[in-house]
Amino acid sequence: MSKEITNDNIDKFTQDLSNHPVYNVASHAAQENGIYKASQNLQTKIDLDPTFSIEIETGKPADQKQSGRCWMFSALNTMRHPLQKKFSLKDFELSQNYTNFWDKFEKSNWFFENVIATADKDLGDRKVSFLFATPQQDGGQWDMLCGIIEKYGIVPKSVYPETANATNSSALNDTLNTLLRKDGLKLRKLVNSGKSMDEVEAVKSDMLNDVFRILATSLGLPPKKFNFEYRDDNKEYHIDKDITPKEFFDKYVGMNLEDHISTINAPTSDKPFHKVFSVEYLGNVVGGRQVRHLNLTVDEMKDLIIKQLKSGEVVWFGSNVVKDSERRAGLLDTNLYRRDQLFDTDFTMSKADMLDSGENMMDHAMVITGVDIVDGKPTKWKIENSWGEKPGFKGYFVMSDSWFDSFVYQAVINKKFLPDDLKKAYEDGKDNPIQLLPWDPMGALAFE
């Protein structure tokens, strides 16, 4: 039987305050400055000095501004860094708006196809509700960007620049989602009224035409061919005429996307290590690349990242950036805020418990560009963010190794760095991955 809170309870709790000797000082500090400032540990700034034993120079960071395209910016950053070096192009950027256009277009079709497939289920069904809650959005995953590039290629930012609706995406997302929900309900009615699939697909094609027009109006019409014209850092002039986006990717980026796989660290009881997982309804390109994750221990993930950094290749990764972070200073550390001391309360949770309870999930993707190794162990990591040059150390953050343990969930690794047993585990599971429910934390999209 449930019991209400009584006055005796409140009197007891009030009396207990005297048992906490720092209560008076702590309450004044918290009320005057807020919880985070009152509990901030200044030692973190000393411990996370931005000096690293292994460091890859990557240049000026990009800026996603008021959009949730961190996963896209970070992935394109991993591709532009080698291009900058090979072709002597300082601060060169690939077009994030180009991949943004095709991602939103493909996500719309992905939504329509899933609505058609679930038309026999009640609107109150949890999976149907999940689909209609957010038909499309800015967020995404590494494999989703690979699917876009494999189908549409890529272009320089100078050829297809940002627009107001790309850098501040809320109005476009609201407009698209209104239309997609309206059309999704219509598709359900058509299916349930017994219309043939040919008739349903014809209506869907008209709906996609509306989506395409909205995107072209808001973001611009993506080029089919273009001239790539530039001067390199030595002031030498170059021009590549009538090149297609796929030809540009092959010639100037040249990354074999199949060689790069998503690894995760999800130490929950439902996800055995060294198994491959996918997430229901997570994706964008119908018929394209499937989202797949190989679950590793945190130490295995770190070892692979360090190997990749030592080879000169940066690492895309996903994390929960809102936890124990200081944006202005660019610090990520589990000791950054000592709320346990401020409140004389234990807040400790395991990584598994944080995932299972909804305390944590991935919300942001960045790039690891360096690590400091002391006595054979990593102590801190250099992070390239996509929030421009103002936060942190001219756009770069420093992440403590303890923060990695608690809040890093995903890293994209070149398969050549995997030992034979992990290569076999991935190959054995990639074609038939274990399916996770749509709302599983490993299905969370990076969007901050």
Side-chain angles (χ1 to χ4, degrees), residues 72-88:
M72 192 175 286
F73 271 70
S74 299
L76 294 178
N77 283 344
T78 68
M79 298 173 191
R80 76 177 170 117
H81 296 326
L83 187 158
Q84 287 174 307
K85 184 176 181 180
K86 182 177 180 180
F87 295 97
S88 300

Side-chain angles (χ1 to χ4, degrees), residues 191-237:
V191 173
N192 290 323
S193 68
K195 297 293 184 183
S196 70
M197 279 299 104
D198 286 343
E199 291 175 295
V200 173
E201 286 295 325
V203 173
K204 190 196 79 169
S205 180
D206 290 339
M207 294 173 173
L208 286 173
N209 184 55
D210 291 339
V211 171
F212 190 88
R213 185 171 61 256
I214 289 171
L215 290 172
T217 302
S218 304
L219 302 176
L221 184 65
K224 289 186 176 182
K225 286 188 175 184
F226 60 94
N227 294 337
F228 181 39
E229 190 174 16
Y230 66 96
R231 285 189 182 275
D232 62 25
D233 296 338
N234 299 317
K235 308 301 181 184
E236 293 185 14
Y237 174 79

Side-chain angles (χ1 to χ4, degrees), residues 9 102 171 247 260 269 318:
N9 294 141
W102 292 117
E247 289 169 344
H260 294 75
S269 59

Side-chain angles (χ1 to χ4, degrees), residues 278-295:
S278 189
V279 184
E280 193 174 6
Y281 301 141
L282 179 60
N284 53 357
V285 179
V286 175
R289 176 184 288 226
Q290 184 180 23
V291 172
R292 290 172 295 204
H293 304 308
L294 174 63
N295 196 19

